[in-house]
């Protein structure tokens, strides 16, 4: 925990393990020095990233494993997000999944983009390759300006909900680190989500149930729900070292890995068909299923109650139940593929219904059924109940719609 800033600013790595002698640490250490087809290590050094923009844009800052080069140019914004006050940063080292989140603001009068034309951003990256050569990559992007009032549909068409969720997660973690006020960060996330709903949502007057988002926005509230419940913002039951480790990886990994951290993947294995992704919800926890959950930090294989009883009776050792043995082996093979490529190596958890290790799964799923609801373990095929006081995604969405309608009515009253 005390060394987290040193690790972040020097491009170092963190591994969370009980001891240096553990398999988890040893294999993670070996993967750090893995080589490509040419026998070269997958890393670069002394990375410099410079950002140039057209005059309508200013650079607000960056979040990631870097430090400022203190280059105050005309395209640097007075508003700072993360490491600001510069348009250039340095990374001591980088690997294929290392990313920087760079933020901009519109610098035209009253925050409105200019009519017509394009805004352009250029990224100039220089680094030393492992073979000693210096490499430079220049990436230039240009986009048409759109009026956020008259052409809101053009703004909405460019929205990427996964990238936006990863960026919001980094900003939230940075605010938590600098302000050290967890509840205030959660309230800030809620305000930002409500503002997004107001801007891009559509609903009928006085009917909260009619609220709907464009197709490329529909999963964003769900991502924010899981982000609010994640270990990045909820530090209860985690040590400071664990919290520092989780946040370090979020601030460094790419969008794909960040989304696995925010909303873990859940796969189902059963006799009803091939493996398939299922909802990260308590209704997916049924007795005759095996579940594989990937949280990036943990790989969890969960055996339902019925599956656990069959294992206890050793049906998988009976040649007449070869299909059951194959069913048990399928999630193990998939987990091994993840373990072979993931750095640092995640913790592997193999559990059955009712044991203490199953808490890793129950802590992540949406608690659509809890001990306070009328449904529970007694209803066949209804999923498992989660012992928690947290609200479910359904309740979260209902409150979000109600706030959206209430805010709209308040705005109308003010206008009158």
């Amino acid at each position: 925990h005390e060394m987290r800033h040193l690790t972040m600013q020097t491009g170092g790595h963190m591994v969370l393990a009980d001891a240096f002698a553990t398999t988890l640490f040893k294999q993670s250490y070996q993967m750090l020095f893995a080589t490509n087809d040419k026998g070269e290590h997958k890393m670069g050094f002394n990375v410099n990233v410079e950002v140039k923009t057209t005059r309508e844009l200013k650079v607000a800052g960056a979040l990631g494993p870097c430090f400022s080069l203190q280059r105050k140019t005309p395209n640097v914004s007075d508003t700072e997000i993360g490491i600001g006050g510069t348009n250039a940063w340095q990374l001591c080292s980088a690997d294929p999944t290392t990313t920087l989140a760079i933020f901009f603001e519109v610098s035209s009068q009253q925050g409105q983009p200019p009519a017509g034309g394009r805004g352009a951003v250029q990224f100039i990256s220089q680094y030393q390759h492992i073979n000693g050569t210096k490499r430079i990559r220049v990436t230039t992007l240009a986009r048409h300006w759109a009026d956020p009032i008259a052409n809101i549909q053009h703004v909405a068409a460019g929205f990427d909900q996964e990238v936006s969720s990863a960026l919001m997660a980094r900003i939230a973690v940075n605010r938590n680190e600098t302000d050290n006020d967890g509840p205030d960060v959660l309230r800030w996330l809620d305000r930002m989500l409500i503002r997004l709903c107001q801007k891009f949502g559509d609903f009928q007057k006085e009917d909260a149930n009619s609220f709907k988002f464009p197709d490329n926005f529909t999963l964003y509230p769900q991502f924010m729900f899981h982000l609010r419940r994640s270990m990045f913002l909820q530090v209860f039951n985690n040590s400071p070292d664990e919290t520092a480790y989780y946040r370090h990886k979020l601030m460094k990994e790419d969008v794909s890995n960040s989304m696995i951290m925010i909303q873990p993947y859940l796969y189902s294995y059963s006799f009803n068909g091939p493996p398939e992704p299922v909802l990260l919800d308590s209704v997916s926890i049924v007795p005759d299923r095996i579940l594989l959950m990937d949280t990036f930090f943990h790989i969890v294989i969960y055996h339902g109650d019925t599956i656990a009883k069959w294992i206890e009776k050793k049906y998988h050792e009976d040649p007449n139940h070869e299909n059951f043995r194959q069913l048990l082996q399928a999630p193990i093979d998939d987990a091994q593929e993840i373990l072979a490529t993931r750095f640092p190596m995640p913790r592997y958890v193999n559990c059955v219904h009712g044991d203490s290790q199953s808490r890793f799964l129950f802590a992540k799923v949406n608690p659509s059924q809890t001990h306070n609801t009328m449904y529970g373990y007694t209803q066949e095929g209804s999923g498992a109940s989660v012992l928690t006081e947290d609200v479910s995604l359904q309740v979260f969405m209902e409150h979000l719609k109600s706030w959206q309608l209430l805010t709209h009515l308040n705005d109308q009253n003010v206008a009158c």
Side-chain angles (χ1 to χ4, degrees), residues 14-191:
M14 284 189 184
V15 177
L16 186 64
D18 296 329
F20 291 110
T22 60
T23 302
L24 190 152
F25 178 81
K26 289 180 178 179
Q27 293 191 10
S28 297
Y29 189 77
Q30 291 174 350
M31 293 174 65
L32 176 62
F33 297 100
T35 58
N36 57 21
D37 297 337
K38 298 180 180 180
E40 299 171 337
H41 295 296
K42 304 175 184 178
M43 57 183 73
F45 304 97
N46 195 26
V47 185
N48 289 342
V49 178
E50 182 181 0
V51 180
K52 295 183 178 181
T53 64
T54 50
R55 64 178 181 273
E56 303 89 358
L57 288 171
K58 287 186 179 293
V59 181
L63 286 172
C66 62
F67 58 90
S68 172
L69 288 179
Q70 303 294 330
R71 295 182 188 173
K72 185 76 172 181
T73 58
N75 72 329
V76 173
S77 171
D78 293 330
T79 303
E80 295 188 9
I81 299 178
I83 305 173
T86 182
N87 75 327
W89 301 266
Q90 186 172 48
L91 296 78
C92 294
S93 66
D95 56 61
T97 62
T98 301
T99 58
L100 289 183
I102 300 177
F103 301 88
F104 303 88
E105 73 167 357
V106 178
S107 62
S108 58
Q109 292 182 354
Q110 299 178 352
Q112 296 296 327
R118 288 186 174 188
V121 179
Q122 186 176 76
F123 301 92
I124 304 174
S125 304
Q126 306 179 46
Y127 70 97
Q128 181 178 333
H129 192 263
I130 192 69
N131 61 15
T133 60
K134 184 177 181 180
R135 300 186 177 184
I136 301 177
R137 174 179 294 177
V138 179
T139 305
T140 305
L141 306 173
R143 295 292 185 270
H144 289 288
W145 288 108
D147 192 319
I149 299 177
N151 297 313
I152 188 66
Q153 70 277 7
H154 296 310
V155 179
F159 183 79
D160 188 313
Q161 52 194 346
E162 292 191 352
V163 173
S164 300
S165 299
L167 291 174
M168 289 296 288
R170 288 201 185 193
I171 296 175
V173 166
N174 180 67
R175 291 173 70 101
N176 221 327
E177 290 279 341
T178 55
D179 300 339
N180 198 25
D181 190 350
D184 184 63
V185 172
L186 294 178
R187 288 191 292 268
W188 173 80
L189 276 177
D190 293 340
R191 290 195 301 270

Side-chain angles (χ1 to χ4, degrees), residues 266 306 315 355 378:
L266 189 65
T306 302
Y315 286 166
D355 71 4
T378 58

